[in-house]
Amino acid sequence: MVPAVDSLGPPMVNAPRMNVAAEATRSLAIRFGAGRASNGQGEEGIEVALPVPVLAGPATERIASMTPGQCKRLEHGRFQVLRHPDRLAGIAVCPIDGDLEAQSYACYRDLFALLGEDQHAYRVWHYVPQINELSGGLENYRIFNIGRRRAFDDHFGALAESQMPAASAVGAPDNRFVMAFVAGSETPRYLENPHQTPAYHYPQSYGPKSPSFARAAVADSMIYISGTASIRGHETVHQGDLHSQFDVTLENLNQLAQALGFASWIAVTEQPGYNLKVYLRHPRDLERLRPRLEEALHAEEGNTTILHTEICRADLDLEIEAMFSRPASF
Ligand code: 3EB
């Protein structure tokens, strides 16, 4: 029997191996397409509304679910948190007062304080306002990367690069920086893609400090695939060519599937809880891309949310991420 799956996202923690009503878990969720970024204070968990337009699929993404018995809600620094004895999930919604580097640094410091000595970040999502605009001559994504890397270096020192979670970083349509994470006390396995330079080793031509993330993470009951795009080595390829960008993105997903021990991405699509998020820079690309998403990634209305956002590199039009239940044999 396979774990329960619903259209809002994969079950995560202690998911009973049968269908359960949503009330039976407390979840951390992001509701896209909503008015302005806001903090939800739901009885059952945490739901944050984020005004990123939804082009297709479920508008609510549940990034973590926990059994209510041992689950506590708390606030720490900028984060609202759900804490379970060995799992943790949180979200921060931070107004930007012109200093994105300070906000990204502070959010990561809060995260590391929450993790303490024996927990690890598995997956982090970032929504960065005006991600491709310049502030003081530097692109906001690159400014964000400076604060993130400084936080890793300050906290982990020489071990920083071995502690970087799976991640994604895309635009946000208002002036709030949003960061959400899933973490826990199992030591995750972080993976790289042999066809891509590790992001934390990108050359300085992409910014003074490299991005701090791994390409995938295997942890607890889940496998998390980072935002994946048309990058070979460290270079964007096929600028302005949607279909070729999709081809390279698919190659990269296949590489990650194989690094994980699957025959190909098709085998990944058969995993319980298989769920995709697609970020599109241009809504006009939706209908051109849809048949390819369906054929190559087995995207369906219920398992794939397509969002209209900017992507962290101005020359990318497409980014795809995934999560799914970890097979028992892993
Ligand atoms: C890339 O491969 C594309 O900065 O956290 C993907 C996933 C990307 C995560 C991040 C950036 C991030 O470099 C962009």
Side-chain angles (χ1 to χ4, degrees), residues 214-286:
R215 300 292 175 185
V218 181
D220 209 322
S221 56
M222 296 296 292
I223 295 179
Y224 302 95
I225 305 291
S226 293
T228 302
S230 182
I231 295 175
R232 280 209 191 99
H234 52 74
E235 283 174 15
T236 299
V237 292
H238 305 304
Q239 180 172 6
D241 177 349
L242 180 75
H243 283 296
S244 297
Q245 284 197 21
F246 180 81
D247 290 338
V248 175
T249 303
L250 180 60
E251 280 172 28
N252 284 326
L253 292 172
N254 272 308
Q255 285 297 318
L256 288 168
Q258 286 166 29
L260 284 160
F262 293 94
S264 72
W265 190 261
I266 292 300
V268 168
T269 70
E270 288 155 8
Q271 296 308 306
Y274 174 69
N275 222 272
L276 292 170
K277 208 134 117 271
V278 178
Y279 304 100
L280 272 190
R281 184 181 293 277
H282 306 294
R284 63 167 187 261
D285 290 340
L286 175 64

Side-chain angles (χ1 to χ4, degrees), residues 54-57 242 278 280 282-293 306-307:
V54 180
L55 300 176
L242 180 75
V278 178
L280 272 190
H282 306 294
R284 63 167 187 261
D285 290 340
L286 175 64
E287 292 315 319
R288 289 203 292 152
L289 201 61
R290 202 194 284 270
R292 308 215 52 202
L293 293 171
I306 305 180
L307 299 176

Side-chain angles (χ1 to χ4, degrees), residues 108 123-124 126 141 144-145 148 166-170 196 199 202 211-215 226-229 231 311-313 316 319:
Y108 270 89
R123 180 47 162 114
V124 181
H126 312 92
Y141 176 58
F144 153 77
N145 276 326
R148 175 168 57 170
S168 54
V170 298
Q196 294 187 308
Y202 283 168
S212 308
F213 68 95
R215 300 292 175 185
S226 293
T228 302
I231 295 175
I311 319 286
C312 63
R313 287 190 185 186
L316 288 171
E319 185 173 307

